[in-house]
């Protein structure tokens, strides 16, 4: 999948639903912060230096060994992408929201390397010169960290990373010094939210040295009952400790969420069936949908499918829906800026088509209107 | 269709949806009040006299001419029916709620004659000795009145009705004296309700000498945006005046409702599509449904189908649904008394099955449960 495909499809490989523990864990991410020796950190780079960093990484990913492992990748400058396309990358969790804002160097010197399978992305001149990120479906922290390490090693054949024998890799922010590794998982906790236990569980998680954030990272809300859990400290810990600790805490959260779902199904089967059924019914038939309502309904349907209450669309389609409902994807589909009511209408149309295409019900069959497009066609672009 | 079939199926012929003006008018009813000469009115009958009335009517409907016209009908005593079955007849609008309560003679002497097509029903010893009622789909007041007249004439070959040359037929309540005719239509006015104009329209209707009531007659609410409009006065008017006046006012109400629907669709197409679509989605997927919510949703879907916003179940299925959602039908299906949560669950199950059977979507396909019964099978009993 080329970058163009990445931008046109709401689907990403990290949405696959046959991954380990994917009933609760949506995705696992490992991110390494790396700095080039001899250069100031991005926010202090001169334009010439920033350009040199871009060139150095661009060259490094064209290295034969790197290409053998990760495919024919190219560095794309963010200025080559439209504002909408940049936000789509954020909404697909392939770059950080901060990358489009004020972190790191000025915008002209920010670049992105993305592998065709979207598993590996490298942000250049974000807060650090390089942010090497691997994103895997389900609970696969070790695989993600291992892949990030591979990329790191292959890049190091060309690039000279700033490293101190005493404290490890040097990074712009002290919290990343050491391994430079931030590991995180995105978990779906509708059961704990419904039982009113999520705050308690996540407070415990925080006490274990982990950070809990909303869907799009720091300072964002946990829409759709999705939470990101990540390690806080990198200094003084080995990589395997970091991923191992996070994986171990995540396994506890998984058990608590599963137990919450079982309790809900056991104690109030009709209420639960009703809740998730209505959510599916509305997604299939609404003609105007706000983003928050859409995320709530998608979360309910995912809970229903995972808890065996509902034969709805598979999880990967539901995760695609979560991308589809975001503003940038809607703007891309429509090809122009939209008013809020238009957004809500287009969102409902796209959601209806995709859900009906995956529910054995013809999208045009129930409503007096058909856009003439098949969601399946869009996906195959 | 025998009385047994009538009691087992939620469908009645008056629900047919290819009838005149059936987008707004559900059904037309003509009811004649008749008293047997030489007997006190039902509330003053002795047991012996009440039994004589029953016998007289029972004999009259076995008259050969009557049978040639109306089929092989028999008088059924209300004591032969279970309480649930009696209420199902009310919910199908084939007998009045008052017939099961305190009007007319004591319960043992109340009888019912119902033709196989359910078009003609005769209540014996309701408020009057005979209430001859004809129920037709759509706006067919003249046809209903004509059929009631035919029944009246054929019965009069055997029975001696109390009649005064000066004031006409004598009845227990002075409001029925004269022709004894009460003509009524059941109209579905969701457009006027949504626009907030229904009160104004119905106030005007009242000023024209007509009465507006809820779904089950006097003192009941207009659930499902259904209203009954009928003539108030019978004395001093010819039958044709009564039906003509009601038909003429009804035509005005039809135009106002159609105009309201057009206005809603024109001015807020997305909101309307969304409203009716969500209603259909919930009916297809809910697992617990209160009677009021069910009626509201059915009304919304009917509006959507009639206004061309939705390809949903046909109107006759929606009218069946309105019967299905009533408590007595649910008790009949379940075969026992139910708790309120059980009612709501069974109601949702029956609604889901019938709606999905008429939406090209397999009822079991979307939900993790299937009762194993096909609504189509139930209908063909």
């Amino acid at each position: 999948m080329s970058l163009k495909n990445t931008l046109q499809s709401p689907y990403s490989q990290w949405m696959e639903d046959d991954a380990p523990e994917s009933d609760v864990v949506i995705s696992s991410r490992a991110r390494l912060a790396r700095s080039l020796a001899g250069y100031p950190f991005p926010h202090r780079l001169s334009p010439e230096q920033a350009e040199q960093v871009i060139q150095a990484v661009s060259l490094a990913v064209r290295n034969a060994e790197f290409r053998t492992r990760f495919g024919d990748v190219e560095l794309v400058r963010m200025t080559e992408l439209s504002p909408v396309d940049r936000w789509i990358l954020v909404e697909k969790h392939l770059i950080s929201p901060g990358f489009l804002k004020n972190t790191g160097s000025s915008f002209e010197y920010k670049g992105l390397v993305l592998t065709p399978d979207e598993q590996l992305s490298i942000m250049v001149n974000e807060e650090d010169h390089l942010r090497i990120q691997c994103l895997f479906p389900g609970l696969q922290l070790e695989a993600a960290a291992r892949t990030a390490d591979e990329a790191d090693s292959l890049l190091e054949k060309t690039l000279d990373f700033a490293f101190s024998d005493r404290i490890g890799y040097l990074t712009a922010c002290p919290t990343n010094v050491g391994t430079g590794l931030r590991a995180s998982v995105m978990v779906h906790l509708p059961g704990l939210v419904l039982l009113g236990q999520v705050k308690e569980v996540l407070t415990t998680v925080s006490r274990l040295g982990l950070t809990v954030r909303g869907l799009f990272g720091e300072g964002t809300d946990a829409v759709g009952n999705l939470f990101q859990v990540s390690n806080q400290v990198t200094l003084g810990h080995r990589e395997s400790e970091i991923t191992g600790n996070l994986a171990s805490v995540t396994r506890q959260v998984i058990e608590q969420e599963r137990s919450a779902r079982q309790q809900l199904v056991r104690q109030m089967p009709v209420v639960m069936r009703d809740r998730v059924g209505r959510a599916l019914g509305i997604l299939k038939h609404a003609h105007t949908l706000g983003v928050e309502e859409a995320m709530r309904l998608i979360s309910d349907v995912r809970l229903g499918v995972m808890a065996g209450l509902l034969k709805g669309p598979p999880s990967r389609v539901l995760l695609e829906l979560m991308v589809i409902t975001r503003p940038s994807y809607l703007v891309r589909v429509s090809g122009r800026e939209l008013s809020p009511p238009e957004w809500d209408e287009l969102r409902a149309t796209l959601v209806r088509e995709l859900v009906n295409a995956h529910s054995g019900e013809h999208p045009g069959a129930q409503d007096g209107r058909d856009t003439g497009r098949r969601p399946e066609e869009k996906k195959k672009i």
Side-chain angles (χ1 to χ4, degrees), chain A residues 40-309:
Chain A
F41 292 127
H43 64 285
R44 292 187 173 266
L45 285 173
S46 70
E48 293 73 26
Q49 290 172 316
E51 181 61 29
Q52 286 164 17
V53 172
I54 287 273
Q55 293 297 341
V57 178
S58 182
L59 205 64
V61 298
R62 276 189 235 137
N63 168 283
E65 278 186 83
F66 188 92
R67 289 206 157 191
T68 304
R69 170 65 182 86
F70 289 106
D72 289 349
V73 290
E74 295 283 348
L75 182 141
V76 176
R77 286 167 190 269
M78 294 311 284
T79 45
E80 294 173 53
L81 299 176
S82 70
V84 166
D85 285 345
R86 293 171 204 154
W87 276 107
I88 286 176
L89 292 171
V90 173
E91 292 174 356
K92 293 184 78 175
H93 299 276
L94 300 171
I95 63 174
S96 61
F99 197 43
L100 301 187
K101 293 181 184 164
N102 44 13
T103 51
S105 79
S106 71
F107 207 75
E108 301 90 80
Y109 304 105
K110 287 181 170 173
L112 172 70
V113 176
L114 185 67
T115 59
D117 62 7
E118 301 182 15
Q119 266 187 7
L120 171 68
S121 66
I122 305 169
M123 286 181 277
V124 182
N125 288 330
E126 208 241 25
E127 190 178 286
D128 295 289
H129 298 141
L130 287 88
R131 288 273 170 110
I132 303 163
Q133 173 183 286
C134 287
L135 190 54
F136 277 59
L139 183 59
Q140 299 194 73
L141 282 167
E142 277 184 37
R146 198 168 52 239
T147 306
D149 281 341
E150 282 183 72
D152 180 42
S153 304
L154 291 170
L155 291 169
E156 221 164 2
K157 290 181 185 279
T158 321
L159 301 171
D160 183 15
F161 291 147
F163 186 82
S164 145
D165 285 337
R166 195 167 56 83
I167 58 173
Y169 287 99
L170 302 179
T171 56
C173 177
T175 56
N176 290 316
V177 166
T179 58
L181 174 67
R182 170 151 286 168
S184 68
V185 288
M186 193 196 291
V187 287
H188 186 220
L189 306 179
L192 290 169
V193 170
L194 273 178
L195 281 185
Q197 296 175 356
V198 78
K199 201 176 166 188
E200 192 188 331
V201 169
L202 296 179
T203 303
T204 308
V205 167
S206 304
R207 287 212 195 92
L208 296 168
L210 299 170
T211 305
V212 180
R213 297 190 179 92
L215 182 55
F216 290 104
E218 276 174 277
T220 64
D221 289 337
V223 285
N225 299 320
L226 293 170
F227 299 85
Q228 287 191 58
V229 182
S230 61
N231 64 309
Q232 259 177 324
V233 184
T234 59
L235 188 61
H237 294 278
R238 282 196 308 250
E239 280 203 359
S240 58
E241 283 173 357
I242 291 169
T243 55
N245 180 39
L246 178 58
S248 146
V249 174
T250 302
R251 278 183 209 287
Q252 289 173 45
V253 173
I254 291 168
E255 286 317 312
Q256 286 169 308
E257 170 64 19
R258 281 178 187 158
S259 150
R261 292 177 189 180
Q262 280 164 10
Q263 191 182 332
L264 287 165
V265 173
R266 200 175 52 243
Q267 290 179 355
M268 41 181 106
V270 178
V271 171
M272 290 306 298
R273 253 179 234 283
D274 186 57
R275 184 186 175 100
V276 303
R278 282 170 185 245
L280 180 59
I282 293 172
L283 289 179
K284 283 163 84 171
H285 292 279
H287 280 254
T288 172
L289 265 181
V291 63
E292 269 122 49
E293 186 188 13
M295 291 296 280
R296 184 172 56 70
L297 296 171
I298 294 166
S299 170
D300 277 351
V301 171
R302 191 173 190 280
L303 170 61
V305 170
M306 292 297 161
L309 294 170

Side-chain angles (χ1 to χ4, degrees), chain A residues 1-12 92 116 118 316 320 329 332-333 350 353 373-381:
Chain A
M1 196 183 266
S2 73
L3 183 59
K4 192 182 159 211
N5 292 347
T6 292
L7 294 167
Q8 285 190 329
S9 167
Y11 174 71
S12 284
K92 293 184 78 175
E118 301 182 15
R316 45 171 284 273
E320 265 187 80
Y329 186 79
R332 175 168 246 291
V333 168
L350 296 177
E353 287 181 352
R373 277 176 295 131
R374 290 281 79 77
E376 288 297 349
E377 284 170 21
K378 290 206 300 280
K379 284 226 315 291
K380 282 175 193 150
I381 287 166

